[in-house]
Amino acid sequence: MLPSNVRILPNGAAGDPQTVFYHRCTIDLARGAVDIRDLPCRNLEEVLGGFGRSFQYLAARDVADAFATENPMVVNTGLLTGSNVMTGLRTYFSAYSPLKVSNTGLPAAMWSAGSGKFGTKLKWAGLDELILENKADHPVIIVIRESDTGPQVELRPADHLLGKYCHEKILTLYAEYPDAHFAAIGPAGEHYNACYYAAIALSTENLLKTGDDKCRWAGRGGMGAVLGSKNVIGIVAEATDRIAKLSPETRALNKEIATGPGSRKFREKTRGGLGGTWANYEPLEQFHMVPQNNFRPTGDGKPALMFRDALEDDFVIKAESCYRCGINCHKNIYERKADGSKGAFRAKFDYEPLNLLSTNAGVHDPDEVWPLVALIDHLGMDSISCGTTINYVLDYNARHPDAPVFNGATFGDADKIRELIEQVGTGQLPDLGQGSKRLSEQLGETAYAMHCKGLELPAYVPDTNPGYPWAIAGGHMSMATYMLVAMEGNTSLDYWVQAITERGLLVVRDDLLGVCKFAGLNAEVAARCLGDEIGLHVTRAELLAAVRRAFIRALWLERKQGYTRDDYTMPAQVFDNPNPAIKAEPFVTREFFAALSDRVWEVFDREIASLPPVEDEATG
Amino acid sequence: MQRQSNAVRIRLPALFADRIDGTSTVEVTATTVADALRALTDRHAELTPLVWTGDSALNPLMILFLNNRQLVRSGLDETVHPGDQLEIIPAIEGG
Ligand code: SF4
C-alpha cells in the first residue's frame, strides 16, 4: 500500500508515532561521509514530514550565521509526496535563513516548498529526507540513485555547471542522468554572499521535454543561498518511476481535486476554472488593492493593463502542469506568431511574480514585463523577495531624485530594472542582494520597506493584512489572512485575533503533507486521504492539532533566534500614512496593532509555554 | 451530513468547509440559487460573512457555479432543481 519509504509498523497510528519509521540520509559534505538510517518518529508532526519534521531538527542547533557550516540544510518530503494523490509532489528545503533575521541579526528557521518531480524521484530513489551538514570544499552535485540494496549517494564535481542558468544546469544534468529529476541553484545561489534571496529550481517533465525554463521553485527565504554556501550546485534523484496501483478511494479523490471546487480557482477557464492566481488581478482591482508603485495603489486603473484578457491578443497563454496533475496551474505565455499560432516560450505568469515585476514596479507593457520575470527565473532568485526589494529601490529613488542609489532606476524604468536584476543575480550588487530589511536600515528609510521579519511581502497590500507579522515562512503561504478584508470586510479586533490564531495559521498544513495548497483539500479530506493512501489513520482533530503544534514550534524557534515582540510589526507606512486610494476602511493603526499583538500573543504565548518537549533523536 | 431527497447540493471549498468542521457538501431544499444560499447560511451562520455582504447582497468576491456553469451575478434568481449542484468559490487565492 505504501508508496513511500515511510514504514508504519502493524497497529501503528497517530497515537504511537514511534511505530512509524522514515529513511534519512545525512551527508557530511566536508568529509564526503554518507549515513543512511531508519528513524522512528517522535510525534505526529514528524510522521507527516515537511517543516513539521525539519524544524525539530533545526531546533536542536545553535546557528548564528546562515552561511556558517553549522547551519544544516534539510531536504525532505511530506507523507503524500510521491504518492498517487494528485499534487503529491512537494519537496521542502529547510534551514536557518539569511533573509529572515531577527533585529538581533540572528537567522531564523525557514522552509520553502516546490513542486515538479524531484521530490517524487527522491522518494522513489529510497529517501524521505536528506540532511546536508558542513560544506564541500569545491562545487559538487549530490547524486542519489536507487539500487537493490537501498539508495546510493555520492558527491561529484560540478565545475561544468558553474555560471549556467538554473534550467541550463538541469538540462545538462538530464543529459547525464536521463532517469532522474533535479534540484539546482542558479548564478544567484553561486553568489550566495551577494544574493540572499537565491532560490532552488526543481525540474518538471515539461522542462526536460521542451528545454524551456519551466522549473518549479522553492523560492522563499534564501534556501538557494544556503545550498550555494555549502557548495552544492545541484541534487540528482535517479529512480525508475514506481507508480503504485490507484485505489478506488484515491481515484475518487483525484477526480475531486481535478474537477471539484477546491482547485477551481487555479484551473483554466476552458476547464471550468477561474484561470489561476493571475486572475486575482480583477477582483483585487475592484478594491484598488493591487500593489502599484511599491504597494501603494493609486486607483488610476493601470492594473487593468496586466489583466489576462489584455494579453490574450499578443500572447498565446497555455495552462500546463506538473507530473500527473490535472489542475494545470502553470500559466505559460508564448509568443503569438503572425498566423496566431504559438511561438517561443516567454515566461510563466503567476499573480505574485507578475505583479511585483510589473504593476508594482510601474511597468505596464507586457513586452517589457516578461523578460524581467524570465530573467529572475533564469538567474535563480525568489521573484517575490527580488521584486519587492527592487520596488523599494524604485521608491527610494523616486523620493530622492537628486541622490538616487544603484543605477538610479525608478518606477517604470524597465531597462534599468532589468540591469538591476542581472547584476544582483550575478553577485554584483551585494547591497541589493541582502534584501529590503537590511538595505532600508542601511539607507535610513525603513517605513516603506515592505517586509515582515526580513521576508519581503508578497503581492497583497499590508494595509489590509495585520496578520503578516505572524507568518512563519512568507506572508501568504504561512498565514492565510491576506485576502480577508476584501473577502469579508471585517476589521474588528475580535475577528482579527480569531483569523490569525484560529484559521490563518492552519494554511501551513500542506507544508507537512507534501501536497499543493492548490489541491484545495479541506482538513477532513486530508485526514481521510492519509488513511486511504498511506495507511496512517488520524482524525481531522489530530491532524489539525499536529499542524498547530508545528506552527507554534516555529514561533518558539523564532524566539530562540532572538525575536521579540518588536520584530512582529508592519512597515511603518501602514500605520502612519494610510492609503486613501484603497477602498477599505484604514484600520491598521498603531493602537489597533498594539491591541491585536496583545491578544494574539496571549494565545500564542500560552501555547508556546505548553509545547510538549521533544526528546533527543534516537542515535545508533 | 443529512441527506434529503429533492435537494440541491452545495459543494464548498476548504475556506468554507474548514469553518464548519470539515463539512464540504450541504444539501438544501430551494427553488432559486439565492434560496439555496440562504438555506446554507441559515444552517451554518458562520458562513454568512463569506456569502453575503452587510446589506444582504452576494459577496462580490464569491463566484457561483451551477452544474459546472459559471453564473453571472444576476444568476442568483435562477431556478434550481432537485439534484442540481451549486458551488461557491472565492475569487482571490494566492500561492
Ligand atoms: S497544482 Fe500546480 S504546482 Fe501543484 S502539482 Fe499541480 S500543476 Fe504543479
Side-chain angles (χ1 to χ4, degrees):
Chain A
M1 158 170 234
L2 284 178
S4 87
N5 312 296
V6 172
R7 203 154 46 87
I8 303 178
L9 299 184
N11 306 320
D16 192 4
Q18 294 276 342
T19 60
V20 180
F21 287 76
Y22 65 97
H23 253 358
R24 175 198 282 170
C25 169
T26 306
I27 306 178
D28 180 338
L29 293 162
R31 296 190 298 122
V34 174
D35 174 75
I36 300 178
R37 65 180 65 195
D38 269 6
L39 278 111
C41 296
R42 294 171 289 182
N43 45 43
L44 182 54
E45 301 88 287
E46 280 203 342
V47 174
L48 299 173
F51 88 97
R53 195 188 300 141
S54 63
F55 270 33
Q56 298 189 54
Y57 190 83
L58 295 178
R61 296 302 182 87
D62 290 319
V63 175
D65 171 3
F67 298 141
T69 52
E70 58 267 23
N71 185 16
M73 164 149 279
V74 183
V75 183
N76 71 6
T77 51
L79 211 43
L80 294 172
T81 306
S83 73
N84 271 328
V85 174
M86 188 176 284
T87 81
L89 301 169
R90 301 297 260 183
T91 312
Y92 305 100
F93 295 83
S94 310
Y96 285 92
S97 161
L99 212 52
K100 183 185 169 197
V101 289
S102 66
N103 289 334
T104 63
L106 287 174
M110 178 72 197
W111 83 88
S112 187
S115 297
K117 201 177 171 185
F118 172 78
T120 298
K121 285 284 194 180
L122 184 67
K123 271 226 165 146
W124 288 346
L127 291 179
D128 298 298
E129 187 161 279
L130 177 67
I131 294 185
L132 307 179
E133 297 282 5
N134 293 319
K135 172 185 171 117
D137 61 8
H138 60 278
V140 295
I141 54 167
I142 298 166
V143 181
I144 302 156
R145 288 175 143 147
E146 67 177 338
S147 83
D148 293 343
T149 53
Q152 303 293 313
V153 180
E154 60 178 322
L155 304 182
R156 295 205 170 158
D159 306 82
H160 62 307
L161 300 173
L162 297 180
K164 290 184 191 294
Y165 287 158
C166 293
H167 72 293
E168 293 172 344
K169 285 188 172 91
I170 287 173
L171 291 168
T172 304
L173 289 169
Y174 179 47
E176 298 165 29
Y177 304 95
D179 263 340
H181 269 264
F182 312 92
I185 57 170
E190 292 173 33
H191 297 282
Y192 64 89
N193 253 321
C195 188
Y196 294 177
Y197 35 78
I200 298 170
L202 298 164
S203 58
T204 61
E205 299 217 313
N206 194 338
L207 155 66
L208 301 185
K209 200 167 84 195
T210 61
D212 292 334
D213 185 353
K214 291 172 177 168
C215 304
R216 300 305 293 174
W217 296 95
R220 308 255 41 209
M223 295 299 103
V226 176
L227 202 56
S229 77
K230 299 193 167 301
N231 249 333
V232 175
I233 306 301
I235 309 174
V236 177
E238 190 170 62
T240 45
D241 283 7
R242 276 204 263 149
I243 302 173
K245 194 165 176 290
L246 201 59
S247 69
E249 293 82 8
T250 303
R251 186 187 303 277
L253 174 70
N254 286 349
K255 185 166 174 241
E256 175 68 13
I257 291 174
T259 61
S263 67
R264 217 185 250 290
K265 165 76 188 166
F266 308 104
R267 303 199 309 261
E268 246 340 60
K269 286 195 172 153
T270 50
R271 296 186 55 242
L274 296 178
T277 58
W278 188 354
N280 284 343
Y281 254 95
E282 288 93 329
L284 285 172
E285 177 58 3
Q286 286 178 43
F287 298 89
H288 297 165
M289 288 181 190
V290 176
Q292 266 181 285
N293 297 0
N294 196 26
F295 293 83
R296 199 76 186 161
T298 62
D300 64 2
K302 291 228 171 101
L305 297 169
M306 275 311 133
F307 286 5
R308 181 171 160 163
D309 285 352
L311 273 68
E312 300 268 6
D313 285 348
D314 296 329
F315 299 94
V316 173
I317 301 167
K318 225 175 148 236
E320 295 174 323
S321 75
C322 299
Y323 179 63
R324 295 205 295 168
C325 180
I327 298 175
N328 288 15
C329 80
H330 316 178
K331 307 305 173 203
N332 290 330
I333 68 160
Y334 294 80
E335 165 199 14
R336 186 180 286 284
K337 292 193 192 156
D339 64 0
S341 64
K342 177 166 81 77
F345 172 67
R346 295 306 193 204
K348 184 171 72 61
F349 274 13
D350 284 324
Y351 169 69
E352 292 86 3
L354 173 61
N355 170 264
L356 296 171
L357 295 163
S358 64
T359 319
N360 201 36
V363 181
H364 306 289
D365 177 352
D367 279 320
E368 290 184 326
V369 172
W370 72 256
L372 306 180
V373 176
L375 185 59
I376 286 195
D377 282 356
H378 292 339
L379 292 166
M381 291 184 282
D382 175 29
S383 43
I384 294 179
S385 280
C386 182
T388 298
T389 305
I390 287 179
N391 294 332
Y392 170 79
V393 170
L394 306 182
D395 201 349
Y396 182 92
N397 287 344
R399 292 167 193 244
H400 300 277
D402 299 331
V405 292
F406 302 113
N407 62 359
T410 189
F411 297 116
D413 288 344
D415 289 343
K416 286 187 176 174
I417 293 170
R418 189 185 160 85
E419 192 176 84
L420 290 178
I421 293 171
E422 181 84 49
Q423 289 179 349
V424 74
T426 49
Q428 298 171 61
L429 294 176
D431 287 340
L432 185 63
Q434 63 188 333
S436 56
K437 175 174 163 62
R438 292 185 181 92
L439 178 62
S440 64
E441 287 167 359
Q442 203 173 303
L443 291 173
E445 292 192 14
T446 57
Y448 54 95
M450 294 296 164
H451 71 87
C452 282
K453 301 189 291 194
L455 273 185
E456 284 71 22
L457 301 187
Y460 304 92
V461 288
D463 313 61
T464 58
N465 182 15
Y468 267 143
W470 287 279
I472 53 175
H476 67 311
M477 301 301 282
S478 57
M479 178 51 69
T481 50
Y482 54 94
M483 76 315 251
L484 292 180
V485 167
M487 204 110 80
E488 295 188 79
N490 194 328
T491 56
S492 76
L493 192 56
D494 285 347
Y495 171 88
W496 274 92
V497 173
Q498 210 181 30
I500 293 166
T501 62
E502 290 181 21
R503 296 191 298 271
L505 78 174
L506 296 177
V507 71
V508 300
R509 182 200 67 209
D510 295 341
D511 289 320
L512 288 83
L513 297 184
V515 288
C516 276
K517 293 176 173 55
F518 293 179
L521 302 181
N522 71 58
E524 181 74 31
V525 174
R528 204 168 56 231
C529 144
L530 288 169
D532 291 342
E533 182 68 10
I534 306 292
L536 180 83
H537 299 288
V538 288
T539 63
R540 173 178 187 268
E542 286 167 335
L543 174 62
L544 291 178
V547 172
R548 197 172 175 95
R549 279 194 303 275
F551 186 96
I552 297 293
R553 191 172 290 115
L555 286 179
W556 169 82
L557 200 39
E558 288 181 353
R559 205 163 277 185
K560 176 175 178 281
Q561 294 304 104
Y563 278 79
T564 67
R565 271 187 62 161
D566 290 345
D567 288 271
Y568 296 82
T569 187
M570 308 277 292
Q573 177 178 275
V574 173
F575 303 133
D576 301 334
N577 190 8
N579 182 353
I582 294 176
K583 292 189 197 168
E585 183 195 340
F587 69 107
V588 190
T589 60
R590 284 189 188 278
E591 296 69 31
F592 177 90
F593 190 78
L596 180 67
S597 289
D598 286 343
R599 298 266 308 272
V600 167
W601 282 121
E602 205 179 299
V603 175
F604 287 156
D605 277 342
R606 203 169 44 234
E607 290 184 55
I608 289 173
S610 58
L611 256 186
V614 179
E615 286 166 26
D616 288 346
E617 280 189 352
T619 51
Chain B
M1 182 188 70
Q2 198 192 341
R3 293 194 81 84
Q4 300 170 12
S5 56
N6 296 331
V8 172
R9 221 168 163 231
I10 307 180
R11 299 177 73 204
L12 302 168
L15 175 72
F16 288 67
D18 285 337
R19 290 194 188 190
I20 50 173
D21 294 330
T23 306
S24 55
T25 305
V26 175
E27 296 196 345
V28 297
T29 306
T31 52
T32 64
V33 170
D35 283 349
L37 292 176
R38 249 174 241 121
L40 170 71
T41 52
D42 284 349
R43 197 176 307 164
H44 295 289
E46 309 89 305
L47 302 182
T48 302
L50 288 173
V51 180
W52 307 110
T53 62
D55 48 6
S56 302
L58 178 67
N59 185 334
L61 285 184
M62 291 300 153
I63 299 187
L64 300 173
F65 287 82
L66 180 61
N67 299 327
N68 268 328
R69 174 174 54 90
Q70 188 173 342
L71 297 179
V72 292
R73 303 205 78 71
S74 56
L76 272 180
D77 298 327
E78 276 205 33
T79 306
V80 288
H81 304 283
D84 278 354
Q85 195 158 279
L86 186 64
E87 287 178 32
I88 180 163
I89 310 289
I92 309 173
E93 248 182 291

